[in-house]
Amino acid sequence: MSSSLFGWDLLIKSVESEIKTNEDILLCFTHLVLVSNDFKCIGLGESKILDGSETKTEALPPGWTESYSIRYVHQGRLYLLKATKVDDGLMLNLIRVDERTTSLVQLNTALVASRTGILSQMLPKHADILQQIKTELIDKIVVSKNTKDNSSQTPTVSNPPPTSPQASPLFVDPMSRAGPVGVGEYDLNPFGRNPLAFPAPMGGGGMLFEPPRGGRYPQGPGLGMPPGAVPPGARFDPFRPPDVDRFPRRPNNRPDNDEFPPPGYDDMFM
């Protein structure tokens, strides 16, 4: 018999008069696995209140075959073991009350070969059953104290030395793609300096339009705003770039085709 299940003979001897079904054997065995993993029984029922005055024991409480609902304590936390008889087996749920998490394992009653005798005679595959209960019922919702203590500590992260972006093999300098004469180089850089706000030699370009600095906006005829329309220092987004009339259309320029349709095309839906 596995050393982790030490106490089976004593346990089965104490409850042998209460055992009536194969489900009783499976529940008794599950109790022993829980006790072997530092669970302590505190009685029957489904109460979710733990006040610390409960008596902890490794024995099954009286009436356990009738209730099939047993309360346990593990590392100061309350657990409820609820067993339900199904067609050919026993479905066991272990509920961790504080986090409202549940694990499940289902054991077939055919695993019980006898209700009397030693463990190997009653449960020939007891080692497999033990492993199934451990992995499916206990390990899924029980966090060991050492694991929690280690996870609660704040890890120390050292600050790596700053590196330039060029050190990364994935970095592509947008300026290197502008061509040999630098045509369009600032359009490749969305954070480039705008020539309307930063005249040469500070640089220019970029895809983000910036209004002129200093709180001075173009006002007057032809610029969209009458004189004095924008108070000094006021925040105002201009309707258009301030140099839109730098190259005015000459009077002798012919109008665009979009302004006047061709002759014979007097169609409002054109």
Side-chain angles (χ1 to χ4, degrees):
M1 183 172 59
S2 174
S3 59
S4 62
L5 287 180
F6 177 80
W8 170 258
D9 294 335
L10 181 61
L11 175 63
I12 204 67
K13 186 70 175 178
S14 66
V15 296
E16 61 182 354
S17 62
E18 301 178 64
I19 294 178
K20 299 294 188 297
T21 64
N22 289 355
E23 289 87 353
D24 294 343
I25 295 293
L26 294 174
L27 181 56
C28 187
F29 185 79
T30 302
H31 168 81
L32 183 61
V33 176
L34 290 172
V35 169
S36 300
N37 285 270
D38 298 327
F39 282 77
K40 302 298 179 183
C41 179
I42 58 173
L44 301 176
E46 300 181 11
S47 174
K48 298 177 176 60
I49 299 175
L50 186 66
D51 57 18
S53 63
E54 297 82 1
T55 300
K56 303 177 181 64
T57 178
E58 296 182 356
L60 281 166
W64 63 275
T65 57
E66 300 176 1
S67 174
Y68 268 32
S69 182
I70 309 174
R71 304 171 73 225
Y72 293 89
V73 172
H74 177 69
Q75 295 182 357
R77 296 178 175 86
L78 178 63
Y79 292 82
L80 302 180
L81 178 66
K82 300 182 66 175
T84 305
K85 294 180 181 180
V86 292
D87 293 337
D88 295 320
L90 185 68
M91 184 172 62
L92 297 145
N93 291 97
L94 186 62
I95 305 170
R96 180 171 173 173
V97 175
D98 61 341
E99 293 188 353
R100 299 181 180 179
T101 53
T102 305
S103 60
L104 168 69
V105 66
Q106 186 167 333
L107 304 176
N108 197 305
T109 54
L111 295 170
V112 181
S114 173
R115 297 176 194 167
T116 59
I118 62 176
L119 178 61
S120 59
Q121 295 173 339
M122 302 173 71
L123 295 170
K125 297 183 178 180
H126 64 273
D128 296 336
I129 304 173
L130 184 152
Q131 186 63 27
Q132 186 179 2
I133 295 174
K134 180 73 167 58
T135 56
E136 297 182 18
L137 194 68
I138 299 177
D139 292 346
K140 286 190 176 181
I141 62 172
V142 175
V143 180
S144 66
K145 187 175 181 181
N146 292 336
T147 302
K148 182 181 179 182
D149 292 342
N150 293 336
S151 62
S152 63
Q153 296 178 0
T154 304
T156 303
V157 179
S158 57
N159 295 327
T163 57
S164 62
Q166 288 83 354
S168 172
L170 301 179
F171 176 78
V172 178
D173 186 358
M175 298 301 102
S176 64
R177 301 174 57 186
V181 296
V183 176
E185 62 180 2
Y186 292 102
D187 289 332
L188 299 177
N189 182 6
F191 301 104
R193 296 182 180 275
N194 195 292
L196 302 178
F198 298 94
M202 296 182 64
M207 294 183 289
L208 302 179
F209 173 76
E210 299 180 11
R213 293 294 188 266
R216 300 181 61 185
Y217 293 90
Q219 304 179 46
L223 295 179
M225 295 297 295
V230 180
R235 179 173 179 175
F236 172 75
D237 294 331
F239 297 112
R240 55 184 177 175
D243 60 347
V244 68
D245 294 326
R246 179 182 300 177
F247 304 102
R249 177 183 296 173
R250 291 177 297 180
N252 59 350
N253 281 2
R254 298 182 59 187
D256 295 335
N257 292 333
D258 293 338
E259 298 179 14
F260 296 97
Y265 284 88
D266 187 12
D267 188 352
M268 64 179 293
F269 297 104
M270 183 184 72

